[in-house]
């Protein structure tokens, strides 16, 4: 007699999938769980100036905010990192800090453990024990790993792609991320890194940028960045954007700001919202696509305030708000973490998942970086769950080449962790190079991801 089995329920069928989507309502974590902010009102929390004034900039301020929640175990680990490894100085807005260890038990040992294991903390406030003990830096790591300053046509204006430029308006941000690709220029110097400085006055630098774009009609796309455009005084930024929109050949303008996630209060200020609407209306009238590109790396950072800032930008006429995250071990380098983040962005905050960059080859970043094959596996794992237009591409930003999908290499030596890439255009410094389009440019996997033979080879090279 044949056994009869009940058909699986809908929930059981979902459980058989590698990833199960469950809609999660956005929640603003309670900042009052931190002793230093126990009396902060909602009005203060929503105030951009209060957020900036109360950023965590040093260990003394960190101790004031955290009180007894963090033990010396954490501070000792942090001190070692700040002395020996940190490429970025400490600067964390309350909004960003509040998305760390959101569900942790409020006892010192338990909170310290949760804080050390927190994905947002891992990239915003790295400690010595996070770093790779054998290869903290890859032998081919560089301060300006993408050679952006080499491609400056005027100070701060990188002409890397034929039709696109990057305008670095300022060398500061409202927050400093440990993995910053522009760590050679952005932020304050650290014991390890003496930062480069922009030398021109902002008005002179912007004048030179505008003049270059006027006489270079092949450029149609301008990424206005830094640093972070949220640190450019709004009247100055609006003036620059209006001048950009006066250039007939400019058809796309993108504002790069992590502050939409790290300091959404800035983008909710009435004077900023009103100014953004003026820019958006002008862009629309002239047929220019205006977008905001932000930088969120974990679902914990997507809160109601972030969603409100994104919706507000869209309501006043910005065409798109998109996310460009960075793929990092210990932060988001699993398919579940990436999909949770993408659904929070797309489904709850109206932010389009756009790119996830492989972490760049800057000093002391090896513990964050993933190999090309790991990135390929992650791209495969997230396909089919999100709408096609909201499925992010994982890209490798290859030095002297640019962004490439992780499957686009020409050759890949898995044993040594060296991939080779080609390109179909010349950067501004290669216009006279006849071999630029035939050359194979190398990219290097983290040595810790290699097998025994590969690791031995690199050790012998060193």
């Amino acid at each position: 007699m044949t056994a009869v089995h009940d058909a699986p329920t809908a929930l059981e069928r979902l459980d058989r999938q590698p990833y199960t989507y469950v809609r999660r309502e956005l929640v603003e974590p309670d900042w009052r769980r931190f002793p230093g902010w126990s009396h902060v009102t909602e009005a203060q929390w929503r105030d951009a100036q209060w957020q900036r004034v109360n950023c965590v900039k040093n260990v003394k301020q960190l101790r004031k905010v955290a009180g007894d929640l963090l033990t010396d175990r954490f501070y000792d680990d942090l001190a070692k990192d700040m002395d020996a490894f940190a490429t970025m100085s400490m600067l964390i807005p309350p909004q960003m800090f509040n998305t760390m260890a959101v569900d942790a038990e409020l006892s010192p040992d338990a909170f310290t453990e949760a804080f050390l294991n927190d994905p947002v903390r891992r990239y915003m406030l790295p400690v010595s024990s996070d770093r790779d003990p054998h290869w903290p830096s890859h032998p081919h790591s560089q301060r300006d790993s993408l050679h952006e300053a080499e491609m400056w046509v005027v100070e701060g204006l990188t002409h890397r792609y034929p039709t696109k430029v990057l305008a670095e308006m300022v060398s500061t941000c409202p927050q400093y991320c440990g993995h910053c690709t522009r760590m050679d220029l952005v932020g304050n110097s650290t014991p390890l890194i003496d930062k480069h400085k922009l030398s021109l006055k902002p008005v002179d630098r912007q004048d030179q940028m505008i003049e270059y774009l006027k006489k270079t009609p092949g450029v149609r796309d301008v990424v206005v960045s830094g640093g972070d455009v949220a640190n450019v005084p709004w009247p100055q930024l609006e003036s620059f954007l209006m001048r950009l929109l006066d250039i007939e050949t400019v058809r796309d303008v993108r504002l790069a700001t992590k502050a939409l996630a790290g300091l959404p209060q800035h983008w909710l200020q009435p004077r900023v919202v009103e100014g953004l609407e003026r820019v958006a209306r002008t862009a629309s009238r002239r047929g220019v696509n205006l977008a905001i590109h932000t930088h969120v790396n974990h679902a914990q950072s997507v809160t109601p305030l972030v969603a409100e800032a994104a919706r507000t930008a869209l309501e006043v006429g910005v065409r798109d708000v998109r996310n460009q995250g960075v793929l990092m071990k210990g932060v988001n380098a699993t398919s579940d973490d990436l999909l949770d983040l993408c659904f929070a962005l797309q489904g709850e905050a109206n932010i389009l998942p756009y790119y996830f960059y492989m972490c760049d080859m800057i000093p002391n970043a090896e513990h964050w970086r993933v190999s090309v094959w790991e990135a390929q596996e992650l791209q495969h794992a997230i396909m089919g769950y999100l709408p096609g237009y909201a499925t992010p591409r994982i890209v490798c930003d290859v030095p002297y080449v640019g962004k490439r999908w992780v499957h686009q290499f020409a050759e890949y030596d898995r044993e040594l962790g060296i991939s080779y890439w080609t390109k179909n255009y010349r950067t501004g410094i290669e216009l006279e190079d006849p071999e630029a389009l035939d050359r194979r440019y190398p990219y290097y996997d983290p040595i810790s991801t290699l097998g025994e033979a590969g690791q031995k080879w690199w050790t012998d090279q060193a």
Side-chain angles (χ1 to χ4, degrees):
M1 192 171 174
T2 304
V4 177
H5 298 283
D6 292 335
T9 65
L11 185 58
E12 288 170 336
R13 286 195 296 271
L14 282 174
D15 287 341
R16 294 177 185 176
Q17 299 292 353
Y19 173 83
T20 301
Y21 166 70
V22 177
R23 185 177 182 184
R24 295 176 176 88
E25 183 180 353
L26 299 186
V27 176
E28 206 73 48
D30 186 0
W31 57 87
R32 289 164 293 193
R33 71 189 188 281
F34 291 106
W37 296 331
S38 60
H39 301 297
V40 173
T41 66
E42 184 174 357
Q44 288 175 302
W45 191 260
R46 290 183 63 94
D47 183 78
Q49 185 61 23
W50 185 92
Q51 288 278 331
R52 289 184 185 270
V53 168
N54 288 278
C55 282
V56 178
K57 302 175 185 176
N58 52 51
V59 171
K60 181 179 179 180
Q61 292 175 343
L62 177 60
R63 287 184 180 274
K64 183 178 179 181
V65 169
D68 295 331
L69 288 177
L70 289 174
T71 67
D72 286 343
R73 172 190 174 195
F74 176 80
Y75 290 110
D76 291 345
D77 208 354
L78 177 62
K80 291 177 183 177
D81 196 79
M82 294 173 72
D83 287 341
F85 297 109
T87 59
M88 298 298 292
S89 54
M90 189 189 307
L91 182 63
I92 311 173
Q95 173 74 26
M96 179 64 72
F97 194 87
N98 192 42
T99 66
M100 302 179 192
V102 293
D103 297 318
E105 180 186 331
L106 299 181
S107 64
D109 288 339
F111 187 87
T112 298
E113 183 69 20
F115 198 69
L116 282 166
N117 290 320
D118 185 78
V120 180
R121 193 284 306 164
R122 280 190 171 124
Y123 80 90
M124 289 300 303
L125 191 60
V127 293
S128 178
S129 62
D130 293 335
R131 309 283 181 177
D132 188 309
H134 303 295
W135 297 96
S137 296
H138 194 280
H140 289 283
S141 65
Q142 296 187 46
R143 287 173 50 133
D144 182 7
S145 64
L146 301 180
H147 307 279
E148 289 179 333
E150 269 183 67
M151 302 177 200
W152 280 357
V153 287
V154 302
E155 185 182 78
L157 189 67
T158 299
H159 195 166
R160 185 181 184 195
Y161 300 97
T163 61
K164 300 182 284 187
V165 295
L166 167 73
E168 295 172 84
M169 299 286 288
V170 67
S171 62
T172 63
C173 297
Q175 66 284 300
Y176 294 139
C177 312
H179 65 281
C180 181
T181 189
R182 298 194 183 111
M183 45 71 58
D184 65 318
L185 176 70
V186 170
N188 301 316
S189 295
T190 70
L192 185 70
I193 301 292
D194 188 21
K195 301 297 177 94
H196 298 156
K197 303 294 182 184
L198 295 170
S199 60
L200 294 175
K201 294 179 180 179
V203 64
D204 294 334
R205 188 165 58 253
Q206 292 163 29
D207 284 347
Q208 290 188 14
M209 291 177 178
I210 293 295
E211 287 308 308
Y212 179 81
L213 294 171
K214 284 180 178 179
K215 67 182 184 183
T216 315
V219 174
R220 63 173 308 282
D221 183 353
V222 182
V223 178
V224 185
S225 183
D228 192 311
V229 295
N231 271 22
V232 182
W234 181 261
Q236 185 186 126
L237 179 60
E238 183 174 346
S239 173
F240 181 78
L241 295 175
M242 290 300 194
R243 293 172 74 189
L244 273 184
L245 294 173
D246 273 339
I247 302 173
E248 184 62 30
T249 49
V250 171
R251 312 309 300 154
D252 276 278
V253 174
R254 293 178 270 170
L255 307 180
T257 173
K258 179 164 185 163
L260 192 78
L263 189 67
Q265 293 86 348
H266 170 82
W267 292 101
L268 290 168
Q269 296 176 98
R271 63 184 178 87
V272 173
V273 174
E274 292 162 6
L276 188 61
E277 184 170 18
R278 288 190 293 270
V279 174
R281 285 181 174 175
T282 302
S284 177
R285 188 167 61 249
R286 298 180 181 173
V288 177
N289 297 314
L290 177 69
I292 289 176
H293 282 199
T294 192
H295 176 180
V296 189
N297 291 323
H298 197 274
Q300 286 174 199
S301 296
V302 187
T303 75
L305 273 169
V306 175
E308 184 181 347
R311 283 196 306 270
T312 299
L314 294 169
E315 287 168 0
V316 300
V318 172
R319 174 175 172 172
D320 288 299
V321 179
R322 308 181 186 117
N323 185 62
Q324 296 185 149
V326 175
L327 198 60
M328 290 180 282
K329 286 185 176 176
V331 179
N332 56 20
T334 71
S335 56
D336 281 8
D337 283 334
L338 288 182
L339 287 168
D340 283 349
L341 171 56
C342 290
F343 280 118
L345 291 166
Q346 169 69 10
E348 309 303 326
N350 290 332
I351 299 173
L352 184 72
Y354 177 45
Y355 276 155
F356 280 101
Y357 289 86
M358 295 172 65
C359 184
D360 289 320
M361 293 179 57
I362 57 168
N364 297 330
E366 289 303 276
H367 66 292
W368 284 310
R369 293 205 308 123
V370 302
S371 64
V372 169
W373 66 265
E374 288 173 314
Q376 289 178 325
E377 288 188 349
L378 284 168
Q379 183 74 79
H380 177 80
I382 66 173
M383 300 301 291
Y385 289 95
L386 293 150
Y389 67 90
T391 301
R393 296 171 179 170
I394 298 178
V395 295
C396 183
D397 208 343
V398 182
Y400 293 117
V401 174
K403 291 178 282 294
R404 288 291 182 269
W405 302 352
V406 291
H407 293 78
Q408 284 188 289
F409 56 77
E411 183 183 346
Y412 190 10
D413 184 335
R414 283 282 298 271
E415 181 173 290
L416 301 184
I418 307 175
S419 50
Y420 298 90
W421 307 72
T422 60
K423 60 183 180 180
N424 58 330
Y425 50 80
R426 293 178 172 87
T427 64
I429 61 176
E430 297 167 320
L431 296 179
E432 305 303 323
D433 183 352
E435 299 178 359
L437 303 188
D438 299 316
R439 185 178 294 116
R440 294 191 173 194
Y441 297 80
Y443 183 84
Y444 304 94
D445 288 346
I447 295 171
S448 62
T449 65
L450 306 181
E452 183 178 345
Q455 294 199 30
K456 182 180 184 304
W457 187 86
W458 281 102
T459 301
D460 292 344
Q461 296 300 305

